[in-house]
Amino acid sequence: MSNTRLVVGSFWAFFLIGLPFWWKTTEVYRANLPFPEIESWRNGQSCNFVFPTTITIHIPNSIIQQNNINKNDRKEALQQRLSTEFNKQSSCAEFPINVQYQPWHNDNNDNNDELIKQYRDVPVGHYHFFIDKSTTDQTVPYNVTVGNTRASIIQMTDNMSNDKVDNVIFTLTKMIFGDEYETLGQVACRSDQIRDRNDMSSMRTVKYSPRYQVTFSLMNNDPSKLTVDWDIQEAVKSYVYPLLRELSMVSNFTVDSQVQNYASLSMKPHYKEREGKTGYYYLNPENLPHFINSADWNLASTISSYSTINFILYVPSPDERLWIHDKQGRPLPGNAFSIPGWGGVVIKNPPPPHTLIEGHHYIMDKKRLQPVLRIFVSQLRTLLGIQDFTSITTNDFNVTFMTAPHTGITSLEKDAVIRKRTVENIVNAASTLNSLAQLVTEIPNMVVLDHIALQVQESLHALHLGCDALQKGEYDTALQHAIHAIELAEEAFFNPTMVSMLYFPDEHKYAIYMPLFVPISVPLIMAIVKALKEMKKKDKSKTE
């Protein structure tokens, strides 16, 4: 019996001594994460969103003297009035306004374009309003020209008193920045998820990405009847690249193109007969969501894994002219539509083959592609969330918004994109880090390597730098820090070592080890129970 006890004791000693070694050698490595700091960013306690704006009002000396305009007395009052108006829109963001008055000499009264061009390189957040007296008869007291740079001209017909100058500046500033600042306040309060459900403009916008793949596809329905080629490279260089260069500090863009033949539709269009005219095929608005033939059209990019924005130029067969109808059953002039969060489509009906100099070969050169690319640029602006200032109206005065025909985006529109993307990236980076912290807390056996912890710390550091730059009005710098923060946060969250543990819970571990330990532990337990009974029986016999 002593040998049995020795064997059983040896097994149990080996098990009890080896258990701590097994526990230590099989535990996962978990680097320390700054959970309190991540929690403070989630609660919005680590960053006070501040969007400073500097407004410089230029008034000619002659008008200051003639109308007795007191610059110093009005500065504080206008600053307070504007700041109060914007700050009441949100409790999570501040919009301090700094007003400055400067005299100027209007030596070239008629050349407003040259005056506006001088302020193209003014920093983001600094805007100049030029007050001048109109030399022409006007039906309204104010005529405002909002430039495509960061300068605007206000022409007034009546006497320019202190109150009138302040009122026109207040109304114009509220008109230009009111909606934008309201949106920034909602994003800063993390209420944009609720707002996006009913906000059509947000639904159309693609999810932000530091890099986008822009793909232009030419879809030829029937190449047996008409061969179609396009000079897309030159057209994109002339009409699309200027916009992409202006937005290069927000995101990087890679552009590619492709041509696909025999691109049939996934549905049969309706046919409309017209008395005395040639009939045509058409699509109703409810048919457009099914226009893309995902089964046959190869639209997946094999060049990169970046977020893709697709633009399709669809060329139907020459004898099957195709149009898009509006809700009233009338053909759309542009014959195009956008797909929210995905891209845009333009349907280009080719001319009859017998009218082409090339015969059955239709070549769309840069000139022919100009109207198509103009539509694509407009769709791209919508997908990237660029605010269209030309849609803003007011009844207080006449407003003319200068466009940017060459670049496709004005300085005011670009500034709005920079501010919005900055606060969105800061909020999303903090949300991603919080999701990572929750995941690590809920899964105790998840591996957290040192480089993941380093990415989290660097992301938090970039968030602090971005918030500090934002408060100082350094919007370009704040945007770069915000982009760096969201990139690091997503790299840490989607790290392969992190994602793999999502599919290996503790139940799987128990299923692996139980077939090994249960067959060994049962005989050991029975043996020690038997040994204890023998010892108890032997002790009882001795006492008797």
Side-chain angles (χ1 to χ4, degrees):
M1 182 59 66
S2 60
N3 292 334
T4 303
R5 293 178 181 178
L6 182 62
V7 172
V8 174
S10 299
F11 271 105
W12 274 102
F14 176 79
F15 179 77
L16 295 175
I17 295 174
L19 182 62
F21 289 97
W22 168 80
W23 184 268
K24 186 66 178 177
T25 54
T26 57
E27 71 176 357
V28 296
Y29 180 77
R30 291 167 65 89
N32 293 325
L33 295 180
F35 293 105
E37 188 175 358
I38 294 175
E39 179 66 18
S40 65
W41 275 98
R42 185 190 72 84
N43 296 331
Q45 299 174 354
S46 295
C47 181
N48 182 25
F49 289 100
V50 180
F51 302 89
T53 303
T54 300
I55 297 177
T56 303
I57 304 173
H58 301 262
I59 303 179
N61 281 326
S62 58
I63 297 179
I64 295 176
Q65 297 173 359
Q66 180 180 355
N67 295 275
N68 194 25
I69 295 179
N70 193 323
K71 299 181 295 182
N72 296 327
D73 293 346
R74 307 305 300 177
K75 175 181 176 180
E76 295 294 334
L78 183 57
Q79 282 183 172
Q80 182 65 28
R81 185 180 176 188
L82 288 170
S83 298
T84 303
E85 175 64 27
F86 292 133
N87 288 334
K88 70 180 183 182
Q89 298 180 1
S90 173
S91 60
C92 305
E94 298 179 12
F95 304 94
I97 307 295
N98 179 28
V99 176
Q100 299 177 356
Y101 284 89
Q102 287 187 4
W104 71 296
H105 303 280
N106 189 7
D107 298 329
N108 193 4
N109 186 45
D110 295 331
N111 199 349
N112 291 334
D113 293 344
E114 292 298 326
L115 177 62
I116 290 175
K117 287 181 181 179
Q118 297 176 10
Y119 293 86
R120 185 178 302 278
D121 298 327
V122 172
V124 180
H126 293 257
Y127 305 98
H128 295 259
F129 294 154
F130 289 85
I131 307 294
D132 196 11
K133 191 170 185 178
S134 177
T135 58
T136 60
D137 294 334
Q138 298 176 174
T139 57
V140 293
Y142 312 115
N143 187 22
V144 179
T145 301
V146 179
N148 50 23
T149 64
R150 297 178 179 93
S152 301
I153 299 177
I154 304 171
Q155 294 180 323
M156 308 176 68
T157 57
D158 55 0
N159 295 329
M160 288 178 280
S161 62
N162 290 332
D163 292 337
K164 290 182 179 179
V165 171
D166 289 352
N167 288 335
V168 70
I169 294 295
F170 175 83
T171 305
L172 180 60
T173 305
K174 182 181 177 181
M175 180 188 69
I176 295 176
F177 302 107
D179 292 340
E180 178 198 348
Y181 287 176
E182 182 180 0
T183 302
L184 292 177
Q186 291 175 338
V187 177
C189 289
R190 280 79 170 172
S191 61
D192 55 317
Q193 292 84 358
I194 301 175
R195 178 179 54 87
D196 286 352
R197 297 175 185 174
N198 300 317
D199 191 348
M200 292 301 297
S201 61
S202 298
M203 293 175 61
R204 298 188 186 102
T205 306
V206 296
K207 184 181 181 297
Y208 174 77
S209 173
R211 299 172 183 84
Y212 289 104
Q213 176 75 34
V214 182
T215 301
F216 294 91
S217 302
L218 172 61
M219 300 294 181
N220 186 8
N221 177 266
D222 192 354
S224 62
K225 297 181 180 179
L226 184 66
T227 304
V228 182
D229 284 324
W230 61 348
D231 189 6
I232 189 62
Q233 184 175 1
E234 291 299 321
V236 168
K237 285 182 178 179
S238 299
Y239 307 123
V240 181
Y241 276 2
L243 175 61
L244 300 184
R245 280 193 294 267
E246 290 291 324
L247 296 174
S248 60
M249 67 177 302
V250 179
S251 298
N252 292 325
F253 296 88
T254 303
V255 181
D256 71 324
S257 63
Q258 62 174 342
V259 178
Q260 294 189 27
N261 293 313
Y262 298 101
S264 60
L265 297 177
S266 59
M267 57 185 172
K268 183 66 176 177
H270 308 286
Y271 184 76
K272 182 172 184 174
E273 296 182 355
R274 298 189 298 177
E275 185 177 355
K277 297 181 180 179
T278 305
Y280 63 87
Y281 291 88
Y282 68 93
L283 296 172
N284 289 320
E286 59 268 18
N287 304 132
L288 300 182
H290 311 287
F291 182 88
I292 303 299
N293 190 351
S294 302
D296 298 332
W297 296 1
N298 183 20
L299 299 175
S301 175
T302 58
I303 299 177
S304 67
S305 58
Y306 303 149
S307 300
T308 304
I309 301 176
N310 290 279
F311 293 104
I312 295 177
L313 176 58
Y314 182 79
V315 180
S317 177
D319 53 0
E320 297 181 359
R321 303 182 67 79
L322 181 63
W323 289 91
I324 300 174
H325 277 186
D326 58 16
K327 295 181 179 180
Q328 287 73 34
R330 296 171 298 187
L332 289 176
N335 212 20
F337 65 96
S338 297
I339 302 177
W342 189 85
V345 177
V346 175
I347 299 176
K348 175 71 173 178
N349 290 305
H354 67 272
T355 63
L356 297 174
I357 301 177
E358 306 90 346
H360 289 268
H361 189 192
Y362 181 41
I363 301 176
M364 288 184 286
D365 55 12
K366 174 182 172 181
K367 184 177 180 180
R368 287 175 173 173
L369 285 173
Q370 180 180 4
V372 175
L373 267 296
R374 294 297 185 191
I375 296 176
F376 283 156
V377 168
S378 177
Q379 293 173 341
L380 180 60
R381 283 170 49 90
T382 302
L383 291 168
L384 295 178
I386 299 176
Q387 181 182 358
D388 186 10
F389 279 92
T390 58
S391 61
I392 300 176
T393 59
T394 180
N395 297 324
D396 297 325
F397 40 73
N398 287 335
V399 182
T400 302
F401 287 90
M402 296 181 63
T403 60
H406 180 65
T407 61
I409 184 172
T410 65
S411 296
L412 289 175
E413 294 170 340
K414 181 179 177 180
D415 293 353
V417 173
I418 291 174
R419 281 188 287 259
K420 184 179 179 182
R421 291 306 189 187
T422 299
V423 65
E424 282 181 344
N425 287 339
I426 291 177
V427 171
N428 291 337
S431 176
T432 302
L433 292 176
N434 180 66
S435 299
L436 175 62
Q438 289 181 342
L439 202 62
V440 172
T441 303
E442 294 172 359
I443 305 178
N445 292 327
M446 174 173 284
V447 178
V448 182
L449 300 180
D450 289 333
H451 73 277
I452 296 177
L454 180 61
Q455 287 177 333
V456 171
Q457 293 172 358
E458 290 180 349
S459 178
L460 291 171
H461 181 62
L463 286 175
H464 283 293
L465 294 177
C467 186
D468 293 341
L470 193 65
Q471 294 174 353
K472 297 176 183 177
E474 300 171 356
Y475 291 102
D476 294 348
T477 304
L479 175 62
Q480 299 310 312
H481 288 308
I483 293 175
H484 189 50
I486 188 66
E487 286 182 319
L488 290 171
E490 292 185 348
E491 287 177 8
F493 185 82
F494 293 105
N495 190 280
T497 61
M498 303 286 292
V499 178
S500 61
M501 290 303 300
L502 294 177
Y503 308 98
F504 192 70
D506 291 337
E507 289 78 3
H508 290 189
K509 185 187 297 184
Y510 300 149
I512 292 174
Y513 286 116
M514 284 183 67
L516 298 177
F517 288 102
V518 170
I520 299 175
S521 61
V522 170
L524 289 176
I525 294 174
M526 296 301 297
I528 195 172
V529 170
K530 184 178 180 180
L532 291 174
K533 288 181 178 180
E534 291 292 338
M535 292 176 61
K536 186 176 181 180
K537 184 177 181 182
K538 186 176 180 180
D539 293 339
K540 185 177 181 181
S541 62
K542 286 182 178 181
T543 55
E544 292 177 354

